[in-house]
Amino acid sequence: MNDNVLNSDSCKNEKVDTRNNWVTMMFVTKCRFNCFRKQSHIDTCVEAFKEFERFGFAFDEIGFGGTHVHFLVDIPKKYSVEDAETMLKSRSSARIFEKHSGFKKRYPRGSFWSGYEHHQSTGLTDIEQAREYIKSQPEHHNVSVIDDRQQKLF
């Protein structure tokens, strides 16, 4: 048998998303309350975002500025930016209300994020610039984060 012969199975195209769909997003908390001053709140939000990695989302830098979050996300082809925004906001707010019951008092209507959002396409040429801006959020907004995570005794 000749191994160099092409058959129909060897020419099948695999569906692989090869495009760059990196987007810089910013979500703002409702009424611009300073909700991201505690490390546990930041961790909950990051964990909620990372739950979408199983759907093909990829996250790079995530930075918190007290009242808002900036992040880089690679959105899979099958989702629009608007769908991705809705998914990320709804999952993260649900997780925050689940893990931090005090937010239910601050947001009795159950709406954690404001209607405002910002997104812009981030090409490979300016992705480093976006990373640096996102990393500098605590210094840029003069925010100090309190590490309130539970410490293990043993």
Side-chain angles (χ1 to χ4, degrees):
M1 210 172 177
N2 188 354
D3 289 333
N4 295 331
V5 176
L6 292 174
N7 60 29
S8 62
D9 291 335
S10 65
C11 292
K12 289 185 179 176
N13 292 332
E14 291 186 31
K15 290 188 177 185
V16 177
D17 190 4
T18 59
R19 69 195 166 95
N20 169 24
N21 197 26
W22 284 98
V23 177
T24 303
M25 293 188 128
M26 180 181 87
F27 297 162
V28 179
T29 58
K30 193 86 158 187
C31 301
R32 286 205 177 257
F33 287 133
N34 282 313
C35 296
F36 297 116
R37 294 205 178 238
K38 291 185 178 180
Q39 190 62 46
S40 62
H41 300 164
I42 291 171
D43 292 344
T44 301
C45 190
V46 170
E47 288 167 8
F49 287 163
K50 298 277 183 165
E51 288 179 27
F52 286 98
E53 288 178 341
R54 64 187 170 123
F55 297 113
F57 286 77
F59 294 90
D60 195 328
E61 203 61 47
I62 301 175
F64 292 85
T67 62
H68 60 281
V69 58
H70 290 268
F71 58 97
L72 280 167
V73 59
D74 186 16
I75 301 171
K77 183 169 57 174
K78 63 182 175 180
Y79 301 108
S80 69
V81 173
E82 185 179 351
D83 289 341
E85 174 200 343
T86 302
M87 292 164 64
L88 291 166
K89 280 185 172 182
S90 63
R91 177 71 55 91
S92 59
S93 65
R95 294 294 177 260
I96 286 172
F97 287 129
E98 281 174 12
K99 292 190 177 184
H100 307 283
S101 58
F103 281 109
K104 290 178 184 173
K105 295 174 189 169
R106 174 156 278 189
Y107 300 102
R109 294 183 183 164
S111 179
F112 179 74
W113 299 109
S114 75
Y116 178 81
E117 56 83 29
H118 168 78
H119 65 272
Q120 68 185 38
S121 179
T122 307
L124 294 177
T125 55
D126 55 14
I127 200 162
E128 278 304 315
Q129 209 174 20
R131 280 186 186 130
E132 289 304 314
Y133 180 72
I134 292 169
K135 281 182 192 177
S136 71
Q137 284 303 296
E139 296 85 31
H140 179 74
H141 294 286
N142 198 21
V143 173
S144 58
V145 176
I146 301 166
D147 190 2
D148 65 332
R149 295 175 287 189
Q150 181 69 37
Q151 303 295 321
K152 294 183 180 181
L153 296 175
F154 298 99

